[in-house]
Amino acid sequence: MAKTLKKLSAKYGEVLRYLSVGGLTTLINVIILFSLTQIDIPWFLANVIAWFSSMLFAFVTNKRFSAGTTETAPKIIFKEGLSFLALRGASLLVNTGVLFTTGLTLPHGSYGPKQANIA
């Protein structure tokens, strides 16, 4: 059994680490977005804050656990972080587009827990 687990870990360990970090990144994004919109932060600002926070988490955890790099020089970390965020900037655009078209603004006018029901 231990040999089988070691073989599976050697074969799929990196993929499992990336999937785990990706799942946690998504969970963090959803929790922060939901929490911020519940305290009446405008959805667009909440989305940007949630995206940035989850990408920061993803960068740190991917660097530490998935990629296995040990570089700690501030200049290199800054360069890698900037590159990481820039490459994932498209995900912010897609995320914002999805939120805009699927229910936060178009169907209901705006999102918020205390939205007036005017009929």
Side-chain angles (χ1 to χ4, degrees), residues 4-119:
T4 303
L5 289 176
K6 283 185 181 184
K7 284 182 184 179
L8 288 173
S9 179
K11 189 172 184 179
Y12 300 110
E14 186 175 354
V15 171
L16 292 173
R17 286 190 299 272
Y18 275 111
L19 288 173
S20 298
V21 169
L24 289 172
T25 299
T26 301
L27 183 64
I28 287 169
N29 187 294
V30 168
I31 290 170
I32 292 173
L33 178 63
F34 179 78
S35 299
L36 291 176
T37 56
Q38 291 303 303
I39 58 171
D40 292 330
I41 304 264
W43 74 267
F44 182 80
L45 179 59
N47 185 47
V48 170
I49 292 168
W51 176 85
F52 184 78
S53 301
S54 63
M55 287 301 112
L56 185 61
F57 168 81
F59 173 70
V60 170
T61 53
N62 275 322
K63 184 167 178 60
R64 174 90 170 139
F65 300 110
S66 299
T69 60
T70 57
E71 185 60 56
T72 58
K75 185 177 180 179
I76 292 177
I77 290 174
F78 179 77
K79 183 179 175 183
E80 288 176 349
L82 196 59
S83 176
F84 184 87
L85 291 176
L87 290 171
R88 280 149 186 85
S91 70
L92 175 61
L93 297 175
V94 169
N95 189 339
T96 301
V98 168
L99 291 174
F100 181 75
T101 59
T102 61
L104 289 186
T105 57
L106 290 182
H108 305 293
S110 65
Y111 178 84
K114 299 171 185 144
Q115 191 172 0
N117 189 6
I118 301 172

